C-alpha cells in the first residue's frame, strides 16, 4: 500500500512526464511550422523574377553564297532582391550565392550551359568560356549593383541578379546577305526543332548571407524556355507574387 509521500512523489512524476511530453509536442510543431513556412519575416525577399526566352545567332562565319551561324536558345533571368519593409532591424548583404544547380534535361537536345553577364559594354551576355558558370554564381555586397566587373556585385540593401541559361549545340543555319533573318526564337524553326525537344528544368539554391553571419536559403525551380518562342520569337515571364520560403542554414 502506497504511503502519502509515495503518492505525492508519483503524482509529481506524472506531472513532470506530462509537461515534458507537452513541451516536446510544442517543439515538434514549431520545427514543423518552420520547415513548411520558413522565416516569418526574413530581412530580404525576392520581389520579382523575370525570364526572357528567345534564340540568338552565335559564331557567324562567311561561307560560299552567304553566311553560316550557330543558333543558341537563350533564357535571360533577372532576380530582384529587396529589403523586406516588415523587417525593422538593420540588415546588410555580405553576398548572395546561387549554387546546387540541378538540371533535368527531360527531352531536350543540345547542351545546357549557364553564363554570368559579360564585361562588354554593349552586350549583357557573351557566350564565351570565360563567362561560363560551372556550379556557383556569387554576387558580393557593395554600395551599388554592378555586373560588368570581374567580380559581380549587388547593392547591400538589395539589387538585381542576372544570369543566362542556354541550350547550345543545336545546329547551324545558312543565309544570304540579302535574306532577312529574324534573330529570335523563330530561328529554331529553321533547324526543325520542336517545343518538346528544348524543354528542360533548372533548380538552384539562392543563399543570402548577411554581415551579422545569418544565412538564409530558398530553392527556385524554373521550367525553360518560357512560352512559345517558335511562334512568338520572344516570350517573357514576370513573377511578382513569388511564395519563396527562406530558411536559416
Amino acid at each position: 500500500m502506497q504511503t502519502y509521500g509515495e503518492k505525492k512523489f508519483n503524482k509529481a512524476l506524472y506531472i513532470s512526464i506530462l509537461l515534458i511530453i507537452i513541451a516536446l509536442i510544442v517543439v515538434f510543431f514549431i520545427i514543423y511550422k518552420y520547415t513548411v513556412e520558413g522565416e516569418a519575416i526574413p530581412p530580404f525577399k525576392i520581389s520579382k523574377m523575370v525570364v526572357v526566352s528567345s534564340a540568338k545567332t552565335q559564331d557567324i562565319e562567311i561561307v560560299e553564297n552567304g553566311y553560316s551561324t550557330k543558333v543558341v536558345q537563350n533564357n535571360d533571368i533577372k532576380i530582384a532582391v529587396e529589403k523586406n519593409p516588415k523587417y525593422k532591424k538593420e540588415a546588410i548583404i555580405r553576398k548572395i550565392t546561387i549554387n546546387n544547380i540541378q538540371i533535368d534535361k527531360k527531352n531536350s537536345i543540345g547542351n545546357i550551359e549557364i553564363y554570368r553577364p559579360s564585361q562588354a559594354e554593349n552586350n549583357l551576355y557573351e557566350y564565351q568560356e570565360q563567362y561560363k558558370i560551372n556550379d556557383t554564381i556569387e554576387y558580393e555586397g557593395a554600395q551599388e549593383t554592378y555586373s560588368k566587373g570581374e567580380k559581380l556585385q549587388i547593392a547591400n540593401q538589395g539589387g538585381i541578379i542576372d544570369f543566362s541559361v542556354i541550350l547550345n549545340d543545336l545546329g547551324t543555319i545558312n543565309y544570304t546577305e540579302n535574306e532577312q533573318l529574324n534573330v529570335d526564337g523563330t530561328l529554331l524553326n529553321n533547324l526543325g526543332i520542336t517545343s518538346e525537344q528544348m524543354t528542360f528544368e533548372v533548380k538552384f539554391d539562392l543563399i543570402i548571407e548577411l554581415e551579422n553571419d545569418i544565412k538564409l536559403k530558398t530553392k527556385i525551380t524554373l521550367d525553360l524556355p518560357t512560352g512559345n518562342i517558335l511562334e512568338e520569337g520572344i516570350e517573357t515571364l514576370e513573377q511578382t507574387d513569388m511564395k519563396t520560403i527562406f530558411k536559416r542554414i
Side-chain angles (χ1 to χ4, degrees):
M1 189 171 180
Q2 286 185 328
T3 66
Y4 174 77
E6 289 174 332
K7 289 181 179 179
K8 188 175 181 181
F9 174 79
N10 289 338
K11 184 178 180 181
L13 180 62
Y14 294 149
I15 292 174
S16 297
I17 292 173
L18 181 61
L19 290 175
I20 291 172
I21 292 173
I22 292 172
L24 289 174
I25 292 173
V26 170
V27 170
F28 171 79
F29 277 107
I30 290 173
I31 294 173
Y32 177 77
K33 188 174 187 295
Y34 187 82
T35 301
V36 174
E37 298 179 5
E39 290 283 313
I41 304 177
F44 291 87
K45 65 176 185 176
I46 295 175
S47 58
K48 181 187 292 188
M49 183 169 67
V50 178
V51 180
V52 180
S53 296
S54 188
K56 296 180 179 179
T57 56
Q58 179 82 354
D59 300 332
I60 299 174
E61 296 181 355
I62 299 175
V63 295
E64 186 177 359
N65 299 324
Y67 303 93
S68 176
T69 182
K70 296 178 182 178
V71 178
V72 298
Q73 191 281 305
N74 62 293
N75 305 279
D76 300 341
I77 299 164
K78 291 181 179 290
I79 300 176
V81 177
E82 70 173 26
K83 179 75 182 297
N84 190 340
K86 295 181 181 180
Y87 190 84
K88 302 305 180 182
K89 300 178 182 178
E90 182 182 63
I92 300 172
I93 295 172
R94 178 182 291 163
K95 66 179 177 181
I96 295 181
T97 304
I98 289 175
N99 62 12
N100 190 26
I101 300 171
Q102 302 172 48
I103 297 172
D104 182 356
K105 289 191 69 174
K106 297 185 177 180
N107 298 318
S108 71
I109 59 177
N111 293 311
I112 299 169
E113 300 173 348
I114 302 173
Y115 289 83
R116 56 151 283 175
S118 75
Q119 293 173 264
E121 289 297 326
N122 298 327
N123 298 322
L124 182 57
Y125 296 107
E126 292 183 333
Y127 301 120
Q128 300 174 1
E129 190 66 27
Q130 68 192 93
Y131 303 122
K132 188 175 179 181
I133 299 298
N134 293 320
D135 53 19
T136 301
I137 306 170
E138 188 173 288
Y139 274 75
E140 293 185 354
Q143 291 299 313
E144 60 183 17
T145 300
Y146 185 64
S147 60
K148 287 295 184 180
E150 182 178 346
K151 292 185 177 180
L152 301 171
Q153 296 179 333
I154 187 167
N156 59 30
Q157 292 299 293
I160 294 176
I161 294 171
D162 288 289
F163 62 99
S164 185
V165 184
I166 71 168
L167 264 177
N168 206 354
D169 301 325
L170 297 176
T172 60
I173 59 174
N174 296 320
Y175 62 99
T176 64
E177 184 175 357
N178 298 323
E179 184 178 353
Q180 184 176 358
L181 194 68
N182 293 324
V183 183
D184 57 29
T186 59
L187 284 171
L188 299 164
N189 292 307
N190 296 312
L191 298 173
I193 295 174
T194 65
S195 296
E196 291 75 18
Q197 289 177 309
M198 58 181 179
T199 299
F200 62 99
E201 180 185 77
V202 176
K203 294 181 180 179
F204 56 87
D205 293 336
L206 187 147
I207 301 170
I208 301 176
E209 181 179 340
L210 306 181
E211 287 290 351
N212 60 4
D213 294 328
I214 290 176
K215 292 183 180 180
L216 301 166
K217 181 176 75 172
T218 188
K219 182 173 285 292
I220 296 175
T221 301
L222 295 173
D223 292 312
L224 301 173
T226 189
N228 184 0
I229 60 173
L230 294 176
E231 293 184 6
E232 301 299 328
I234 301 174
E235 290 274 28
T236 301
L237 171 66
E238 183 173 316
Q239 293 180 281
T240 56
D241 58 345
M242 296 181 64
K243 308 301 183 192
T244 48
I245 297 173
F246 279 100
K247 300 176 185 176
R248 297 196 184 199
I249 57 174

